[in-house]
Amino acid sequence: MTETGATSAPALAEIADIGRDTVRGGYSRHLFDEADRQLREWFVARAAGIGLDVDHDRNGNIWAWWGPPGPGALVTGSHLDSVPGGGAFDGPLGVVSALDAVQRLMVSGFRPSRPVAVVVFAEEEGSRFGVACLGSKLLSGGLAAGTALALTDASGCTLAEVMAAAGLDPARAGRDDALLSRIGLFLELHVEQGRGLIDLGVPVGVASSVLGHGRWRLRFAGQGNHAGTTLMSDRRDPMVAAGATIAQIADLARARAGARATVGRVDAAPGGTNVIASRVDVWLDSRAEEDEVTRALVAEIGATAAAHAAAQGCTAELTEQSWSGTVHFPDGPRMAIRGALGDVPALPTGAGHDAAVLAAAVPTAMLYVRNPTGISHAPEEFASAEDCAAGVDALETALRSLAGRS
Ligand code: GLV
Ligand code: MN
Ligand code: MN
């Protein structure tokens, strides 16, 4: 699919070989790893090549300015990182479309009445440090710098260490009011991650809302031991408690209308086939329209885990890793965009986005491009060349209208 994906939006072909995951399929591009570093370099060169002034903010996000930075800037862009084994479009489509749309405006002789910028947000997927939308949360103050800097990746490196190694000063991380005050509107284009536009039969839509979503770690602890010498009656096996809990999670979510709960990752320690685990970490993603529903569902899952753990002579501990409440995008920008584009549909989504995080600090809006597979966070994610072109057209039209003609 990545072959097909690479040919969909011409600029995606330029980065099609960066971060391919030969084990999982698709792409694995994680904050400040080699793939992310190459993608950042590509973006800086590409943005400078079309005449934008590139700037790195204090939180790992990259800004490319057309005109002096702010105030009242019209900002577009998205992210370049991926989930493990993700698709080619989630994030990069918004970045390449932003560069294309801005370049078209520049080449056409358009003179914006306000500054325009293309942004790349850091660690939107939270695949390395576990917190979704890390760059936009730091920028907007949605996550305290001290908490963020202490986050560790799978090999135990802290975000502070990784930022320092990438040339950023961790002491300067955190809410950036000067930069926020430059943003008049952030408009993010993104591949659609569900079936809304397929069902409506149109290539482009605008966002209405983003489901609240969070991540939790359920840590089951027991007694590591020998798989052959430990009688079944003598075990304190956290894997049994974890498995029993996971088996119930889908039904607990189905009992609450519209709620979702997913376990996509389980880590057993020490992780030997002939070893009863001493510890099992179960990573839970849960979402719902009403934040209280998500909270209640997660509390119920925590109680279920505790009961299964007790039945096995183990313990279970529930820890929140990341939280973003449900966001309804403001009416004004959405109405202005629909006014410019004509009668494009407005769609809710269950996927998280930097635009939803930033909505707490600045006006934001989103455009979606149809994904004919309806699949995302997987290599089958797709958008046709025609629909990618329709997305760039829509973004250019929206930017032209929002930035005012001269
Ligand atoms: C990011 O795409 C998410 O929805 O978790
Ligand atoms: Mn994603
Ligand atoms: Mn995304």
Side-chain angles (χ1 to χ4, degrees):
M1 143 24 252
T2 46
E3 293 303 324
T4 346
T7 57
S8 286
L12 282 181
E14 297 172 22
I15 55 172
D17 290 331
I18 302 177
R20 281 185 189 275
D21 192 323
T22 53
V23 175
R24 301 179 178 96
Y27 292 93
S28 291
R29 299 159 162 171
H30 304 148
L31 183 70
F32 295 133
D33 70 3
E34 178 55 23
D36 192 47
R37 196 190 57 72
Q38 287 183 32
L39 289 166
R40 286 164 174 269
E41 271 181 24
W42 166 83
F43 176 78
V44 167
R46 191 66 153 61
I50 64 171
L52 303 179
D53 295 324
V54 178
D55 194 17
H56 297 263
D57 75 13
R58 301 200 256 115
N59 294 302
N61 311 306
I62 314 176
W63 299 75
W65 290 92
W66 179 18
L74 186 53
V75 180
T76 182
S78 189
H79 62 96
L80 292 170
D81 66 305
S82 76
V83 295
F89 297 83
D90 178 356
L93 184 64
V95 175
V96 302
S97 301
L99 289 169
D100 283 356
V102 169
Q103 185 175 19
R104 280 201 215 167
L105 290 174
M106 296 170 95
V107 168
S108 74
F110 176 74
R111 294 278 173 274
S113 62
R114 55 204 283 199
V116 174
V118 179
V119 65
V120 173
F121 284 111
E123 178 86 333
E124 190 264 2
E125 301 289 6
S127 297
R128 181 160 183 184
F129 286 99
V131 173
C133 301
L134 188 57
S136 55
K137 277 189 178 145
L138 279 168
L139 165 65
S140 59
L143 179 67
T147 308
L149 292 170
L151 293 169
T152 51
D153 68 7
S155 58
C157 296
T158 63
L159 176 64
E161 290 163 349
V162 168
M163 286 179 83
L168 291 160
D169 179 359
R172 299 187 68 234
R175 183 177 166 103
D176 188 338
D177 285 306
L179 183 49
L180 289 170
S181 72
R182 294 178 178 159
I183 306 171
L185 175 72
F186 174 50
L187 171 57
E188 179 173 7
L189 179 146
H190 205 282
V191 68
E192 204 206 347
Q193 296 176 276
R195 304 190 50 84
L197 292 170
I198 305 175
D199 294 344
L200 291 165
V202 293
V204 173
V206 292
S208 56
S209 61
V210 167
L211 276 193
H213 55 104
R215 299 180 187 188
W216 291 262
R217 187 191 69 196
L218 274 166
R219 172 162 285 183
F220 296 88
Q223 178 60 60
N225 212 333
H226 195 291
T229 60
T230 316
L231 297 181
M232 299 310 289
S233 54
D234 289 346
R235 298 178 178 215
R236 290 171 48 224
D237 185 345
M239 188 64 85
V240 176
T245 305
I246 294 168
Q248 263 186 276
I249 283 177
D251 283 338
L252 293 174
R254 282 191 197 102
R256 297 171 193 267
R260 291 126 211 224
T262 306
V263 174
R265 179 178 153 207
V266 176
D267 298 325
T273 305
N274 56 351
V275 183
I276 297 167
S278 56
R279 194 184 73 217
V280 176
D281 285 342
V282 171
W283 301 88
L284 172 70
D285 178 306
S286 186
R287 312 185 184 211
E289 171 87 37
E290 306 293 333
D291 295 341
E292 312 80 67
V293 171
T294 309
R295 296 277 182 207
L297 172 57
V298 171
E300 195 175 3
I301 291 170
T304 303
H308 286 303
Q312 301 303 321
C314 299
T315 58
E317 180 194 26
L318 178 70
T319 312
E320 185 174 301
Q321 305 289 303
S322 175
W323 170 253
S324 307
T326 289
V327 168
H328 297 273
F329 288 103
D331 292 338
R334 183 173 60 250
M335 283 163 59
I337 291 166
R338 290 177 100 179
L341 300 184
D343 194 18
V344 291
L347 302 166
T349 183
H353 296 292
D354 292 307
V357 166
L358 279 186
V362 295
T364 62
M366 291 189 72
L367 289 172
Y368 293 128
V369 172
R370 177 168 52 191
N371 171 1
T373 68
I375 294 173
S376 186
H377 284 185
E380 292 80 7
E381 179 183 278
F382 189 60
S384 70
E386 296 73 26
D387 287 359
C388 290
V392 177
D393 287 347
L395 185 58
E396 181 191 355
T397 303
L399 294 175
R400 191 178 287 275
S401 167
L402 293 162
R405 289 170 194 280
S406 66

